[in-house]
Amino acid sequence: MAIAKNMPILPVQAYTSQDWFEQEQQYIFSRTWQFAGFVEDLSDPGDYLTLQAGFNNILVLLDEKQQLRAFHNVCRHRGTQLLRASGKGKKFLTCPYHDWTYNLDGELTAVPERKTQFPDLDLKTLCLHKASVGIWRGIIFVHPEPDADSLTDWFSPVEPYLGPHQPEKLVEYVEGRARHEINANWKIIVENYIDGYHLAHLHSETLFMYDHRQQETGFVGNHFYFYEPLAKDYLKGIEDNSPLPLIDHVPKDKIGAYVPMLFPNLGLSETESSWSTFYVIPVAPDKSIVEIRTKVMPVSDWRYLMQEWKSWNYFRHRKWDKYGTGDADDPLASGDFMAEDIYVCEQQQRSFKSPYFSIGATAKDLEQSVYQYQRNVQSYVEQRMS
Ligand SMILES: [Fe+2]
């Protein structure tokens, strides 16, 4: 089966056509656990957030008893979205269209003109539709189905391959939140995320702190796992070399980069000094958004300054710029590995339109993860279509 290994699993249309996109919305994103936020985003009753999960807009809130609840964010009257974005301290959920009002348990409590015009309307039959919600590693996940399979069962097989990080003990570096609009299909971004082959090449000047030859990768079910140790010279003086304070609960023999991609679209990046979520949101066949949130050690600003200062020695001789052009407008000269990745993702998306496009994979071992991911996407859709 050597030939099959090199053949692309998914056709070009999987990355360009509206039909494929809608199928994935229906059979993948409407039917998997989706990232909603961090536990600390909701702290008091009535705090809420909203998200899109496939065809479903979902709202997550803390009810009066501080319990997490998830509902489909559509009014039972005419389907208008009830709440927008996120917010604090809601006592009731009122639809902007006709002021139908629900309590935090999703029960319809008030319909204007009811007494005069619809005295027989039974409010109990018009509760908000429930969705499933759960917490794993300090992350809130939502599933559009009310009786979804257990979140714990979904992630437990991949847990042995994750970092020893305890995200609950870290704090979010809020200024470091990033949102990238990328002109590429969501799968291109995921495939780039799990592709270990390009790390030593595209990122030769930006990710030199890790030993890319020592990658350990694989799949557990649909989830992808990835680990690589720190580069020897970086590790040797890591206490000084790290630009951020080290995560103190990661034992020295476990230090490295753990970069899993949880099916279908949530990457984690668990390193010696930070813990990040990388959430890929499909917007259109050729458009996606990536939202990144990062947690770090809860220590003083002074410690951060000191650490940055100490790490200067290790980083000061680096040029960061792949071709040394110094061109400020060139993503390949940015010194930012995310800018480098966005560049190649958008280039691949553009190439799909060329009649000369084809995939000539040679790295059977290193690109196997990309093929396996495509197989997983395909079989997830097929199983649910049949
Ligand atoms: Fe990359």
mmCIF file of all heavy atoms in Angstrom, residues 221-256:
data_model
loop_
_atom_site.group_PDB
_atom_site.id
_atom_site.type_symbol
_atom_site.label_atom_id
_atom_site.label_comp_id
_atom_site.label_asym_id
_atom_site.label_seq_id
_atom_site.Cartn_x
_atom_site.Cartn_y
_atom_site.Cartn_z
ATOM 1 N N GLY A 221 -7.328 7.479 18.890
ATOM 2 C CA GLY A 221 -8.643 7.769 18.338
ATOM 3 C C GLY A 221 -8.484 8.865 17.290
ATOM 4 O O GLY A 221 -7.600 8.802 16.440
ATOM 5 N N ASN A 222 -9.292 9.908 17.391
ATOM 6 C CA ASN A 222 -9.199 10.999 16.425
ATOM 7 C C ASN A 222 -8.232 12.088 16.859
ATOM 8 O O ASN A 222 -7.951 13.010 16.095
ATOM 9 C CB ASN A 222 -10.584 11.620 16.208
ATOM 10 C CG ASN A 222 -11.476 10.725 15.375
ATOM 11 O OD1 ASN A 222 -11.044 10.182 14.364
ATOM 12 N ND2 ASN A 222 -12.711 10.537 15.815
ATOM 13 N N HIS A 223 -7.775 12.016 18.098
ATOM 14 C CA HIS A 223 -6.903 13.084 18.606
ATOM 15 C C HIS A 223 -5.448 12.832 18.225
ATOM 16 O O HIS A 223 -4.966 11.698 18.285
ATOM 17 C CB HIS A 223 -7.006 13.180 20.132
ATOM 18 C CG HIS A 223 -8.399 13.357 20.630
ATOM 19 N ND1 HIS A 223 -9.200 14.409 20.256
ATOM 20 C CD2 HIS A 223 -9.150 12.603 21.487
ATOM 21 C CE1 HIS A 223 -10.373 14.309 20.863
ATOM 22 N NE2 HIS A 223 -10.377 13.220 21.604
ATOM 23 N N PHE A 224 -4.760 13.921 17.899
ATOM 24 C CA PHE A 224 -3.336 13.857 17.532
ATOM 25 C C PHE A 224 -2.502 14.296 18.723
ATOM 26 O O PHE A 224 -2.850 15.261 19.412
ATOM 27 C CB PHE A 224 -3.108 14.801 16.347
ATOM 28 C CG PHE A 224 -1.657 15.009 16.001
ATOM 29 C CD1 PHE A 224 -0.938 14.026 15.330
ATOM 30 C CD2 PHE A 224 -1.014 16.199 16.336
ATOM 31 C CE1 PHE A 224 0.401 14.221 15.001
ATOM 32 C CE2 PHE A 224 0.328 16.400 16.005
ATOM 33 C CZ PHE A 224 1.031 15.413 15.333
ATOM 34 N N TYR A 225 -1.387 13.581 18.987
ATOM 35 C CA TYR A 225 -0.487 14.057 20.037
ATOM 36 C C TYR A 225 0.902 14.279 19.470
ATOM 37 O O TYR A 225 1.298 13.682 18.462
ATOM 38 C CB TYR A 225 -0.449 13.100 21.235
ATOM 39 C CG TYR A 225 0.133 11.737 20.924
ATOM 40 C CD1 TYR A 225 1.501 11.519 20.964
ATOM 41 C CD2 TYR A 225 -0.702 10.674 20.589
ATOM 42 C CE1 TYR A 225 2.039 10.272 20.672
ATOM 43 C CE2 TYR A 225 -0.169 9.432 20.301
ATOM 44 C CZ TYR A 225 1.195 9.236 20.339
ATOM 45 O OH TYR A 225 1.724 8.006 20.042
ATOM 46 N N PHE A 226 1.631 15.151 20.109
ATOM 47 C CA PHE A 226 2.961 15.562 19.634
ATOM 48 C C PHE A 226 3.783 15.978 20.828
ATOM 49 O O PHE A 226 3.323 16.736 21.674
ATOM 50 C CB PHE A 226 2.776 16.758 18.684
ATOM 51 C CG PHE A 226 4.067 17.355 18.166
ATOM 52 C CD1 PHE A 226 4.492 17.104 16.870
ATOM 53 C CD2 PHE A 226 4.843 18.182 18.968
ATOM 54 C CE1 PHE A 226 5.669 17.662 16.380
ATOM 55 C CE2 PHE A 226 6.023 18.741 18.494
ATOM 56 C CZ PHE A 226 6.434 18.477 17.191
ATOM 57 N N TYR A 227 4.998 15.461 20.886
ATOM 58 C CA TYR A 227 5.952 15.917 21.904
ATOM 59 C C TYR A 227 7.312 16.061 21.263
ATOM 60 O O TYR A 227 7.703 15.245 20.427
ATOM 61 C CB TYR A 227 6.056 14.911 23.063
ATOM 62 C CG TYR A 227 7.255 15.170 23.947
ATOM 63 C CD1 TYR A 227 7.225 16.172 24.906
ATOM 64 C CD2 TYR A 227 8.432 14.434 23.781
ATOM 65 C CE1 TYR A 227 8.348 16.436 25.696
ATOM 66 C CE2 TYR A 227 9.557 14.693 24.565
ATOM 67 C CZ TYR A 227 9.503 15.694 25.516
ATOM 68 O OH TYR A 227 10.612 15.961 26.269
ATOM 69 N N GLU A 228 8.042 17.115 21.617
ATOM 70 C CA GLU A 228 9.459 17.164 21.275
ATOM 71 C C GLU A 228 10.204 17.833 22.421
ATOM 72 O O GLU A 228 9.677 18.728 23.086
ATOM 73 C CB GLU A 228 9.710 17.874 19.930
ATOM 74 C CG GLU A 228 9.279 19.300 19.873
ATOM 75 C CD GLU A 228 9.487 19.926 18.473
ATOM 76 O OE1 GLU A 228 9.771 19.208 17.505
ATOM 77 O OE2 GLU A 228 9.359 21.155 18.388
ATOM 78 N N PRO A 229 11.449 17.354 22.690
ATOM 79 C CA PRO A 229 12.210 17.934 23.809
ATOM 80 C C PRO A 229 12.817 19.281 23.425
ATOM 81 O O PRO A 229 12.806 19.675 22.254
ATOM 82 C CB PRO A 229 13.309 16.895 24.047
ATOM 83 C CG PRO A 229 13.462 16.167 22.750
ATOM 84 C CD PRO A 229 12.141 16.231 22.045
ATOM 85 N N LEU A 230 13.326 19.957 24.402
ATOM 86 C CA LEU A 230 14.028 21.209 24.129
ATOM 87 C C LEU A 230 15.363 20.902 23.449
ATOM 88 O O LEU A 230 15.938 19.836 23.642
ATOM 89 C CB LEU A 230 14.304 21.952 25.440
ATOM 90 C CG LEU A 230 13.101 22.276 26.320
ATOM 91 C CD1 LEU A 230 13.542 23.147 27.496
ATOM 92 C CD2 LEU A 230 12.007 22.967 25.536
ATOM 93 N N ALA A 231 15.826 21.858 22.663
ATOM 94 C CA ALA A 231 17.162 21.726 22.072
ATOM 95 C C ALA A 231 18.190 21.709 23.211
ATOM 96 O O ALA A 231 18.007 22.380 24.234
ATOM 97 C CB ALA A 231 17.428 22.894 21.133
ATOM 98 N N LYS A 232 19.273 20.942 23.003
ATOM 99 C CA LYS A 232 20.246 20.730 24.081
ATOM 100 C C LYS A 232 20.807 22.031 24.646
ATOM 101 O O LYS A 232 20.905 22.218 25.856
ATOM 102 C CB LYS A 232 21.390 19.845 23.586
ATOM 103 C CG LYS A 232 21.057 18.362 23.630
ATOM 104 C CD LYS A 232 22.314 17.516 23.882
ATOM 105 C CE LYS A 232 21.953 16.062 23.990
ATOM 106 N NZ LYS A 232 21.431 15.527 22.704
ATOM 107 N N ASP A 233 21.190 22.951 23.761
ATOM 108 C CA ASP A 233 21.833 24.182 24.244
ATOM 109 C C ASP A 233 20.834 25.069 25.006
ATOM 110 O O ASP A 233 21.209 25.765 25.943
ATOM 111 C CB ASP A 233 22.452 24.962 23.076
ATOM 112 C CG ASP A 233 21.408 25.473 22.110
ATOM 113 O OD1 ASP A 233 20.402 24.759 21.880
ATOM 114 O OD2 ASP A 233 21.576 26.588 21.585
ATOM 115 N N TYR A 234 19.576 24.993 24.625
ATOM 116 C CA TYR A 234 18.544 25.780 25.310
ATOM 117 C C TYR A 234 18.255 25.174 26.684
ATOM 118 O O TYR A 234 18.153 25.873 27.692
ATOM 119 C CB TYR A 234 17.293 25.787 24.432
ATOM 120 C CG TYR A 234 16.111 26.568 24.953
ATOM 121 C CD1 TYR A 234 16.223 27.913 25.292
ATOM 122 C CD2 TYR A 234 14.848 25.956 25.084
ATOM 123 C CE1 TYR A 234 15.109 28.634 25.750
ATOM 124 C CE2 TYR A 234 13.748 26.672 25.530
ATOM 125 C CZ TYR A 234 13.883 28.004 25.863
ATOM 126 O OH TYR A 234 12.792 28.704 26.304
ATOM 127 N N LEU A 235 18.175 23.833 26.697
ATOM 128 C CA LEU A 235 17.873 23.128 27.938
ATOM 129 C C LEU A 235 18.983 23.299 28.979
ATOM 130 O O LEU A 235 18.709 23.427 30.168
ATOM 131 C CB LEU A 235 17.675 21.631 27.635
ATOM 132 C CG LEU A 235 17.415 20.707 28.822
ATOM 133 C CD1 LEU A 235 16.097 21.068 29.505
ATOM 134 C CD2 LEU A 235 17.392 19.246 28.378
ATOM 135 N N LYS A 236 20.216 23.352 28.503
ATOM 136 C CA LYS A 236 21.370 23.371 29.397
ATOM 137 C C LYS A 236 21.299 24.530 30.399
ATOM 138 O O LYS A 236 21.542 24.363 31.584
ATOM 139 C CB LYS A 236 22.651 23.459 28.567
ATOM 140 C CG LYS A 236 23.897 23.130 29.327
ATOM 141 C CD LYS A 236 25.028 22.708 28.395
ATOM 142 C CE LYS A 236 26.341 22.718 29.148
ATOM 143 N NZ LYS A 236 27.171 23.874 28.794
ATOM 144 N N GLY A 237 20.919 25.688 29.923
ATOM 145 C CA GLY A 237 20.788 26.805 30.851
ATOM 146 C C GLY A 237 19.361 27.295 30.928
ATOM 147 O O GLY A 237 19.115 28.499 30.978
ATOM 148 N N ILE A 238 18.413 26.359 30.954
ATOM 149 C CA ILE A 238 17.006 26.728 30.783
ATOM 150 C C ILE A 238 16.518 27.749 31.815
ATOM 151 O O ILE A 238 15.709 28.614 31.511
ATOM 152 C CB ILE A 238 16.101 25.467 30.721
ATOM 153 C CG1 ILE A 238 14.676 25.831 30.321
ATOM 154 C CG2 ILE A 238 16.110 24.701 32.025
ATOM 155 C CD1 ILE A 238 14.525 26.428 28.958
ATOM 156 N N GLU A 239 17.055 27.639 33.064
ATOM 157 C CA GLU A 239 16.598 28.580 34.094
ATOM 158 C C GLU A 239 16.870 30.029 33.674
ATOM 159 O O GLU A 239 16.105 30.926 33.998
ATOM 160 C CB GLU A 239 17.262 28.301 35.443
ATOM 161 C CG GLU A 239 16.627 27.162 36.226
ATOM 162 C CD GLU A 239 17.141 25.793 35.784
ATOM 163 O OE1 GLU A 239 18.027 25.758 34.891
ATOM 164 O OE2 GLU A 239 16.645 24.773 36.298
ATOM 165 N N ASP A 240 17.979 30.232 32.959
ATOM 166 C CA ASP A 240 18.290 31.576 32.467
ATOM 167 C C ASP A 240 17.779 31.798 31.046
ATOM 168 O O ASP A 240 17.353 32.896 30.696
ATOM 169 C CB ASP A 240 19.815 31.798 32.461
ATOM 170 C CG ASP A 240 20.363 31.923 33.866
ATOM 171 O OD1 ASP A 240 19.568 32.230 34.782
ATOM 172 O OD2 ASP A 240 21.562 31.675 34.049
ATOM 173 N N ASN A 241 17.815 30.752 30.226
ATOM 174 C CA ASN A 241 17.498 30.925 28.803
ATOM 175 C C ASN A 241 16.030 31.214 28.525
ATOM 176 O O ASN A 241 15.695 31.918 27.571
ATOM 177 C CB ASN A 241 17.896 29.666 28.014
ATOM 178 C CG ASN A 241 19.398 29.472 27.983
ATOM 179 O OD1 ASN A 241 20.151 30.392 28.311
ATOM 180 N ND2 ASN A 241 19.834 28.282 27.613
ATOM 181 N N SER A 242 15.134 30.647 29.328
ATOM 182 C CA SER A 242 13.710 30.814 29.057
ATOM 183 C C SER A 242 13.317 32.289 29.152
ATOM 184 O O SER A 242 13.639 32.963 30.129
ATOM 185 C CB SER A 242 12.896 30.002 30.074
ATOM 186 O OG SER A 242 11.529 30.289 29.907
ATOM 187 N N PRO A 243 12.622 32.809 28.135
ATOM 188 C CA PRO A 243 12.223 34.221 28.181
ATOM 189 C C PRO A 243 11.092 34.492 29.179
ATOM 190 O O PRO A 243 10.886 35.633 29.587
ATOM 191 C CB PRO A 243 11.759 34.518 26.752
ATOM 192 C CG PRO A 243 11.596 33.213 26.071
ATOM 193 C CD PRO A 243 12.291 32.158 26.864
ATOM 194 N N LEU A 244 10.371 33.446 29.572
ATOM 195 C CA LEU A 244 9.300 33.577 30.569
ATOM 196 C C LEU A 244 9.647 32.692 31.757
ATOM 197 O O LEU A 244 10.335 31.680 31.602
ATOM 198 C CB LEU A 244 7.960 33.103 29.989
ATOM 199 C CG LEU A 244 7.382 33.872 28.806
ATOM 200 C CD1 LEU A 244 6.180 33.128 28.237
ATOM 201 C CD2 LEU A 244 6.986 35.287 29.233
ATOM 202 N N PRO A 245 9.166 33.022 32.944
ATOM 203 C CA PRO A 245 9.417 32.141 34.099
ATOM 204 C C PRO A 245 8.948 30.714 33.808
ATOM 205 O O PRO A 245 7.870 30.515 33.243
ATOM 206 C CB PRO A 245 8.576 32.781 35.215
ATOM 207 C CG PRO A 245 8.455 34.216 34.824
ATOM 208 C CD PRO A 245 8.406 34.234 33.325
ATOM 209 N N LEU A 246 9.756 29.734 34.184
ATOM 210 C CA LEU A 246 9.411 28.334 33.929
ATOM 211 C C LEU A 246 8.169 27.942 34.726
ATOM 212 O O LEU A 246 7.952 28.446 35.833
ATOM 213 C CB LEU A 246 10.569 27.431 34.339
ATOM 214 C CG LEU A 246 11.843 27.553 33.504
ATOM 215 C CD1 LEU A 246 12.944 26.685 34.118
ATOM 216 C CD2 LEU A 246 11.587 27.163 32.053
ATOM 217 N N ILE A 247 7.382 27.036 34.165
ATOM 218 C CA ILE A 247 6.231 26.511 34.901
ATOM 219 C C ILE A 247 6.771 25.561 35.959
ATOM 220 O O ILE A 247 7.372 24.532 35.632
ATOM 221 C CB ILE A 247 5.245 25.824 33.943
ATOM 222 C CG1 ILE A 247 4.663 26.893 33.007
ATOM 223 C CG2 ILE A 247 4.149 25.106 34.723
ATOM 224 C CD1 ILE A 247 3.695 26.372 31.982
ATOM 225 N N ASP A 248 6.578 25.929 37.219
ATOM 226 C CA ASP A 248 7.322 25.236 38.285
ATOM 227 C C ASP A 248 6.805 23.836 38.595
ATOM 228 O O ASP A 248 7.495 23.068 39.251
ATOM 229 C CB ASP A 248 7.380 26.109 39.552
ATOM 230 C CG ASP A 248 6.005 26.387 40.134
ATOM 231 O OD1 ASP A 248 4.992 25.913 39.551
ATOM 232 O OD2 ASP A 248 5.927 27.074 41.168
ATOM 233 N N HIS A 249 5.601 23.493 38.129
ATOM 234 C CA HIS A 249 5.130 22.129 38.421
ATOM 235 C C HIS A 249 5.437 21.139 37.283
ATOM 236 O O HIS A 249 5.012 19.988 37.338
ATOM 237 C CB HIS A 249 3.637 22.121 38.782
ATOM 238 C CG HIS A 249 2.733 22.664 37.714
ATOM 239 N ND1 HIS A 249 2.171 23.915 37.769
ATOM 240 C CD2 HIS A 249 2.296 22.133 36.558
ATOM 241 C CE1 HIS A 249 1.417 24.113 36.708
ATOM 242 N NE2 HIS A 249 1.483 23.054 35.948
ATOM 243 N N VAL A 250 6.158 21.577 36.257
ATOM 244 C CA VAL A 250 6.604 20.645 35.212
ATOM 245 C C VAL A 250 7.977 20.093 35.610
ATOM 246 O O VAL A 250 8.944 20.839 35.676
ATOM 247 C CB VAL A 250 6.687 21.348 33.837
ATOM 248 C CG1 VAL A 250 7.303 20.415 32.792
ATOM 249 C CG2 VAL A 250 5.314 21.829 33.377
ATOM 250 N N PRO A 251 8.057 18.780 35.924
ATOM 251 C CA PRO A 251 9.344 18.221 36.349
ATOM 252 C C PRO A 251 10.390 18.333 35.236
ATOM 253 O O PRO A 251 10.041 18.296 34.054
ATOM 254 C CB PRO A 251 9.028 16.740 36.624
ATOM 255 C CG PRO A 251 7.562 16.589 36.522
ATOM 256 C CD PRO A 251 6.993 17.768 35.822
ATOM 257 N N LYS A 252 11.625 18.478 35.634
ATOM 258 C CA LYS A 252 12.708 18.696 34.664
ATOM 259 C C LYS A 252 12.776 17.584 33.603
ATOM 260 O O LYS A 252 13.037 17.838 32.430
ATOM 261 C CB LYS A 252 14.041 18.787 35.424
ATOM 262 C CG LYS A 252 15.217 19.241 34.584
ATOM 263 C CD LYS A 252 15.631 20.680 34.852
ATOM 264 C CE LYS A 252 16.539 21.236 33.772
ATOM 265 N NZ LYS A 252 17.887 21.547 34.184
ATOM 266 N N ASP A 253 12.489 16.342 34.000
ATOM 267 C CA ASP A 253 12.592 15.250 33.014
ATOM 268 C C ASP A 253 11.381 15.184 32.076
ATOM 269 O O ASP A 253 11.358 14.377 31.147
ATOM 270 C CB ASP A 253 12.777 13.900 33.723
ATOM 271 C CG ASP A 253 11.598 13.555 34.619
ATOM 272 O OD1 ASP A 253 10.960 14.489 35.148
ATOM 273 O OD2 ASP A 253 11.313 12.351 34.786
ATOM 274 N N LYS A 254 10.383 16.023 32.326
ATOM 275 C CA LYS A 254 9.191 16.032 31.456
ATOM 276 C C LYS A 254 9.139 17.293 30.604
ATOM 277 O O LYS A 254 8.200 17.525 29.858
ATOM 278 C CB LYS A 254 7.924 15.968 32.322
ATOM 279 C CG LYS A 254 7.693 14.632 32.991
ATOM 280 C CD LYS A 254 6.800 13.775 32.104
ATOM 281 C CE LYS A 254 6.781 12.321 32.469
ATOM 282 N NZ LYS A 254 6.203 12.012 33.750
ATOM 283 N N ILE A 255 10.154 18.132 30.738
ATOM 284 C CA ILE A 255 10.126 19.436 30.078
ATOM 285 C C ILE A 255 10.210 19.242 28.551
ATOM 286 O O ILE A 255 10.797 18.294 28.060
ATOM 287 C CB ILE A 255 11.295 20.303 30.623
ATOM 288 C CG1 ILE A 255 10.967 21.785 30.567
ATOM 289 C CG2 ILE A 255 12.594 19.994 29.919
ATOM 290 C CD1 ILE A 255 11.913 22.632 31.412
ATOM 291 N N GLY A 256 9.549 20.137 27.812
ATOM 292 C CA GLY A 256 9.529 20.028 26.357
ATOM 293 C C GLY A 256 8.287 20.705 25.820
ATOM 294 O O GLY A 256 7.633 21.464 26.536
#
